[in-house]
Amino acid sequence: MTIKIQSAEALCAKALEIRREIIRMLGEAGSGHPGGSLSCADILAALYFNAMNYDPKNPKWEDRDRFILSKGHGAPALYAALALAGFFAKEMLLTLRKLGSPLQGHPDMRRLPGLEASTGSLGQGLSIGVGCALNQRLMKKNYRTFVLLSDGEINEGQTWEAVASAAHFKLDSLTAILDYNKFQLDDSTKKILDFEPMADKWRAFNWAVREIDGHNMKEIVEALAWAKQVKNQPSIIIAHTVKGKGVSFMENNNEFHGVAPTREETAKALAELARAASPGLPDPAAGGGLNKLGEK
Ligand SMILES: Cc1ncc(C[n+]2csc(CCOP(=O)(O)OP(=O)(O)O)c2C)c(N)n1
Ligand SMILES: [Mg+2]
């Protein structure tokens, strides 16, 4: 049964849970990509706990909505969402990147239920999404296809072949979401290959475009609902995000693109996320929860 949460507050709580699991997983694995996993946590919470239809007990249900993580290195965020949605036991998350685990560093659809595509080689996911959307039309199914792209990834030319085809075939069951966190592996997207004006480019290719704050849950949910009623063209939600969102020392700090937190950093990040979930909790950095008088 699909989980459908309507309240933005409850969806934000799910996003926080996803962030906590990302940090726990990466801290345990000692490798992986925190920045781009954290930037898409709110989007994944909205997809898996509000917008999408699926059945974790029947992951191959023909009418399920398809989600393709084209930015495959963001796998920890997707694994956390899938576990919280009931596709597999939460305990499995801590096997991330371990030899023999179905939770590989990049998604392997042959080994983990709930994955629609094996990704990680950037630039391929939107083409897979075009295929899913064409299948939906040919087989007269009712499902939608969502593809999460990253802003460095769309430097890949294959993405734009898919952008052109999706519009040509008027694939209105296809929605792309761009995790526009303004950083790629080496530096800012502006310095490496600037795609501004971003929205104009997608419009010129005949896509319906909506720009949002990718950390504002209400805006994400509304944009996903908007995408469902777009007709005769594919839709893109350009989500302005912050790389490393939710952990102060990772935000806009591209050193955490592909480096896992140390043991100390993991503890610090988890404490921050716990305080975000329960703002009353003491801040160890500010004296371990004691006030200026040394009282609890
Ligand atoms: C085809 C391909 N080239 C290079 C890489 C190595 N790589 C992994 S992540 C990354 C950049 C990621 O930046 P972005 O796409 O913006 O992702 P995010 O900021 O969301 O982490 C690169 C170049 C890859 N995975 N695939
Ligand atoms: Mg990026």
Side-chain angles (χ1 to χ4, degrees):
M1 274 289 289
T2 311
I3 304 167
K4 294 274 181 192
I5 300 177
Q6 301 304 333
S7 123
E9 221 178 17
L11 287 168
C12 286
K14 283 284 177 204
L16 256 180
E17 269 189 80
I18 291 175
R19 288 196 165 91
R20 275 207 304 272
E21 295 303 335
I22 290 169
I23 297 296
R24 270 159 38 88
M25 273 187 267
L26 290 173
E28 175 70 22
S31 65
H33 299 81
S37 300
L38 291 167
S39 63
C40 64
D42 300 291
I43 295 164
L44 284 173
L47 281 166
Y48 276 90
F49 300 104
N50 175 272
M52 278 175 35
N53 294 314
Y54 55 85
D55 180 359
K57 299 281 168 279
N58 184 12
K60 293 280 176 202
W61 174 40
E62 283 193 5
D63 287 319
R64 72 194 183 280
D65 288 336
R66 272 52 164 184
F67 173 73
I68 293 148
L69 181 71
S70 192
K71 45 171 285 181
H73 59 284
L78 177 56
Y79 296 157
L82 289 173
L84 295 174
F87 282 89
F88 53 85
K90 226 169 103 178
E91 294 73 57
M92 261 174 69
L93 291 174
L94 290 182
T95 68
L96 174 77
R97 286 179 172 249
K98 298 259 182 345
L99 198 62
S101 167
L103 279 70
Q104 287 298 295
H106 296 80
D108 183 343
M109 64 180 285
R110 297 163 308 170
R111 299 177 66 177
L112 194 68
L115 295 180
E116 299 291 347
S118 298
T119 50
S121 186
L122 296 169
Q124 300 178 347
L126 196 59
S127 304
I128 299 170
V130 166
C132 291
L134 284 170
N135 177 71
Q136 174 272 332
R137 179 178 294 163
L138 284 170
M139 305 308 284
K140 299 190 173 31
K141 293 285 173 195
N142 215 4
Y143 67 80
R144 297 193 59 78
T145 302
F146 299 93
V147 180
L148 185 63
L149 301 165
S150 48
D151 50 4
E153 162 178 39
I154 63 167
N155 291 180
E156 289 277 355
Q158 183 179 342
T159 302
W160 297 93
E161 294 177 40
V163 171
S165 326
H168 175 78
F169 293 117
K170 299 186 173 28
L171 296 180
D172 52 16
S173 71
L174 176 67
T175 297
I177 303 152
L178 178 65
D179 183 354
Y180 197 5
N181 61 27
K182 320 292 185 302
F183 282 99
Q184 47 178 292
L185 189 151
D186 290 320
D187 212 326
S188 70
T189 49
K190 203 165 202 53
K191 273 198 200 145
I192 292 191
L193 187 52
D194 190 7
F195 263 67
E196 285 297 340
M198 182 71 78
D200 289 348
K201 287 191 173 60
W202 291 86
R203 271 191 207 104
F205 274 86
N206 244 333
W207 282 55
V209 179
R210 186 139 168 177
E211 278 191 83
I212 61 163
D213 171 350
H215 302 305
N216 180 318
M217 194 53 78
K218 195 163 166 284
E219 287 187 28
I220 304 171
V221 167
E222 280 172 8
L224 289 167
W226 159 82
K228 287 182 186 177
Q229 47 77 47
V230 169
K231 292 284 170 264
N232 295 318
Q233 39 175 184
S235 49
I236 171 133
I237 299 167
I238 298 176
H240 293 274
T241 55
V242 171
K243 203 153 175 171
K245 178 72 180 178
V247 176
S248 62
F249 58 94
M250 292 185 179
E251 288 191 0
N252 288 318
N253 177 0
N254 213 35
E255 283 178 22
F256 283 102
H257 164 74
V259 173
T262 61
R263 192 181 293 262
E264 293 72 36
E265 287 165 344
T266 299
K268 199 170 165 219
L270 288 174
E272 274 192 32
L273 292 167
R275 277 200 305 285
S278 315
L281 286 179
D283 178 358
L290 302 179
N291 65 21
K292 277 186 188 157
L293 297 172
E295 296 160 343
K296 285 255 183 197

